[in-house]
Amino acid sequence: MTSTGRDAQPALVGPRVRLRPWRAGDAPAVLAACQDPEIQRWTQVPVPYRAEHAEGFVGDVAPQTWAEGGALFAVEPLDGGDLVGSMGLFPPEHGVAEAGYWTAPAHRGRGLTAEALGVLTDWALAPAGGHRVELHRVELLVDPANTGSRRVAEAAGFTAEGTIRRRFLHRGRPSDVILYARLTGDARGGATGG
Ligand SMILES: CC(C)(COP(=O)(O)OP(=O)(O)OC[C@H]1O[C@@H](n2cnc3c(N)ncnc32)[C@H](O)[C@@H]1OP(=O)(O)O)[C@@H](O)C(=O)NCCC(=O)NCCS
């Protein structure tokens, strides 16, 4: 079912990126990006990653996530060009949502992921006019060895609250995670210009 009006997933705009709902036509770009070994190493994408996974992500997973109170966005450059990556919130519980992201290799190292995470989190935690689901906390679970993702979290104003040992089963292996969070009222990250 397509959402309309107040219930439609919005587009969110930062200084350099736009976060917008996924479209069927994004599947080839998702398929290409998700061949990247770093995305396969650090996220839960299926391995091997095939066309049907990309089609299912943009066509089924994304609208279903929105229907369940989460929000998955395609990140694109404001000045035009290829898909930057994926940024989103999984369906929340008790006012808490976990965020997740990946960025295509060609777009890394320019601060675009930190900006997109800041834009997403500002919107998610906005007291009025933000996400239709009221949230008080956005979390990230990051492997301690994933230096890039830790830097992204910190640049977007997230605080490391501690290491949780063997919290996560990653590709069949229990892994530690650093729990990061941003709460309503926390300072915004510099990457969003706030
Ligand atoms: C982690 C990832 C999202 C980073 O994307 P990115 O676009 O390069 O990140 P940004 O350009 O916004 O970088 C933000 C900061 O992190 C730093 N950074 C990014 N990748 C880094 C790396 N591999 N090592 C060290 N620092 C890194 C940048 O220099 C920047 O630092 P600054 O704030 O001091 O300027 C990207 O490498 C990726 O998609 N990895 C695979 C998927 C993944 O790990 N997802 C997260 C799972 S928790």
Side-chain angles (χ1 to χ4, degrees):
M1 187 194 304
T2 305
S3 335
T4 54
R6 280 170 56 93
D7 289 337
Q9 185 173 344
L12 312 176
V13 179
R16 291 182 294 160
V17 295
R18 176 185 296 106
L19 282 61
R20 55 138 178 97
W22 287 101
R23 304 192 278 251
D26 295 319
V30 172
L31 176 63
C34 289
Q35 304 309 311
D36 172 59
E38 290 294 299
I39 294 176
Q40 296 193 359
R41 178 179 182 194
W42 295 120
T43 75
Q44 299 281 63
V45 299
V47 177
Y49 196 87
R50 300 196 175 95
E52 66 254 32
H53 298 129
E55 288 156 10
F57 178 70
V58 301
D60 299 326
V61 176
Q64 185 63 28
T65 299
W66 178 254
E68 293 174 5
L72 301 180
F73 293 94
V75 181
E76 60 185 15
L78 271 190
D79 57 4
D82 298 343
L83 178 76
V84 169
S86 174
M87 176 62 62
L89 296 173
F90 301 114
E93 280 186 16
H94 311 299
V96 178
E98 182 189 339
Y101 45 80
W102 52 256
T103 294
H107 289 287
R108 290 181 191 154
R110 296 161 55 205
L112 298 181
T113 311
E115 178 184 314
L117 179 61
V119 168
L120 175 83
T121 310
D122 287 348
W123 170 76
L125 297 177
H131 193 17
R132 72 200 193 291
V133 177
E134 194 169 329
L135 300 175
H136 58 264
R137 175 180 168 96
V138 176
E139 292 183 342
L140 295 167
L141 303 179
V142 183
D143 189 299
N146 191 348
T147 308
S149 190
R150 292 173 62 179
R151 294 280 297 274
V152 166
E154 287 154 15
F158 281 70
T159 299
E161 297 184 331
T163 301
I164 306 179
R165 298 176 303 158
R166 297 187 199 161
R167 165 63 178 75
F168 200 49
L169 197 60
H170 188 55
R171 310 226 183 268
R173 186 177 64 86
S175 304
D176 296 350
V177 290
I178 300 178
L179 177 62
Y180 284 90
R182 231 185 85 186
L183 278 56
T184 44
D186 281 354
R188 295 166 63 190
T192 60

